[in-house]
Amino acid sequence: PGPHNLTCVSNKHPSVRGELGDAGGAAAGAVRCPPGQCCIGIWNRSHALVQGCWGGEGDACPSATCSPSPAGTPGGSVLLCLCHGHLCNGNATATATATGTGTAVG
């Protein structure tokens, strides 16, 4: 069934264009995800690009914490995590390359 009533950090960096990350709007904050969705975080080496809800299957987000893995082209600088913990996408763990990922939520 996937997670229910999950809250994720919501942020979209100004450099990101298009609809990616629109679930939470452009301002940093928190967003309540629809049932079955989990949190996503996408970073480059210096800052978070997109944080919000991800509509994939719940079993695609097995971790309660955000442990980013490389995404895109091999050797690229984009990191991705999918997780199902409360605000889990606000902080990337197990990597020194995702700095500045903590987003204050009010």
Side-chain angles (χ1 to χ4, degrees):
H4 294 280
N5 298 321
L6 184 63
T7 301
C8 300
V9 171
S10 174
N11 182 41
K12 181 177 174 184
H13 192 270
S15 68
V16 177
R17 301 199 192 302
E19 295 182 20
L20 186 63
D22 277 353
V31 62
R32 175 85 37 135
C33 299
Q37 291 192 0
C38 59
C39 300
I40 186 171
I42 302 172
W43 290 268
N44 68 13
R45 300 223 181 263
S46 64
H47 58 268
L49 296 172
V50 174
Q51 295 163 292
C53 299
W54 185 69
E57 297 298 318
D59 58 356
C61 307
S63 177
T65 60
C66 178
S67 298
S69 58
T73 58
S77 62
V78 176
L79 300 171
L80 167 75
C81 80
L82 297 169
C83 53
H84 66 266
H86 180 67
L87 299 174
C88 63
N89 64 331
N91 191 10
T93 58
T95 180
T97 58
T99 58
T101 57
T103 302
V105 212

